[in-house]
């Protein structure tokens, strides 16, 4: 879950601030740069959450692929075509949106 701290880090990297709680009202801006508005922070939360949600298939694939050691073992014992078939199973199970 993306929160406002993630959004602020994305909007204003390398700035100094603190957050008391989980809402914009708890944002204490300690930097000389311009503080992002609440609307900017909310829009960035939405953008980051959408980006995260759209990459779910990547996280699902990564969790299900065999380890590199097992993949190399499969190639050694069964050949590239067997490896391609095994990888394709995961890609088909979690297609790109």
């Amino acid at each position: 879950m993306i929160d406002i701290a993630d959004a602020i880090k994305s909007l204003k990297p390398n700035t100094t601030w603190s957050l008391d709680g989980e809402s914009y009202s708890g944002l204490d801006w300690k930097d000389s740069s311009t503080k992002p508005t609440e609307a900017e922070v909310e829009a960035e939360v939405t953008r980051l959450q959408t980006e995260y949600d759209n990459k779910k298939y990547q996280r699902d694939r990564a969790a299900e692929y065999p380890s590199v050691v097992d993949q190399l073992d499969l190639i050694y014992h069964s050949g590239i075509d067997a490896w391609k078939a095994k990888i394709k199973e995961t890609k088909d199970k979690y297609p790109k949106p």
Side-chain angles (χ1 to χ4, degrees):
M1 180 75 177
I2 303 298
D3 62 18
I4 69 168
D6 298 319
I8 295 167
K9 289 175 193 173
S10 175
L11 288 169
K12 298 284 188 168
N14 304 315
T15 55
T16 306
W17 50 273
S18 65
L19 187 62
D20 184 18
E22 297 180 16
S23 68
Y24 185 83
S25 63
L27 177 59
D28 181 18
W29 198 253
K30 300 176 183 192
D31 200 82
S32 62
S33 66
T34 305
K35 178 181 175 180
T37 66
E38 186 171 7
E40 290 171 330
V41 171
E42 289 174 2
E44 187 66 2
V45 167
T46 300
R47 185 190 73 77
L48 291 172
Q49 188 65 53
T50 299
E51 185 178 277
Y52 178 83
D53 293 345
N54 288 342
K55 293 182 179 177
K56 183 179 184 319
Y57 78 95
Q58 291 177 343
R59 294 186 302 279
D60 292 341
R61 284 179 179 184
E64 192 155 321
Y65 283 138
S67 71
V68 172
V69 171
D70 289 341
Q71 289 184 47
L72 290 172
D73 193 54
L74 180 63
I75 292 169
Y76 179 80
H77 290 288
S78 303
I80 292 290
D81 290 335
W83 171 78
K84 286 181 180 179
K86 181 65 178 169
I87 296 302
K88 187 172 180 341
E89 288 175 19
T90 302
K91 287 183 178 283
D92 289 347
K93 186 174 180 181
Y94 302 108
K96 287 183 181 180

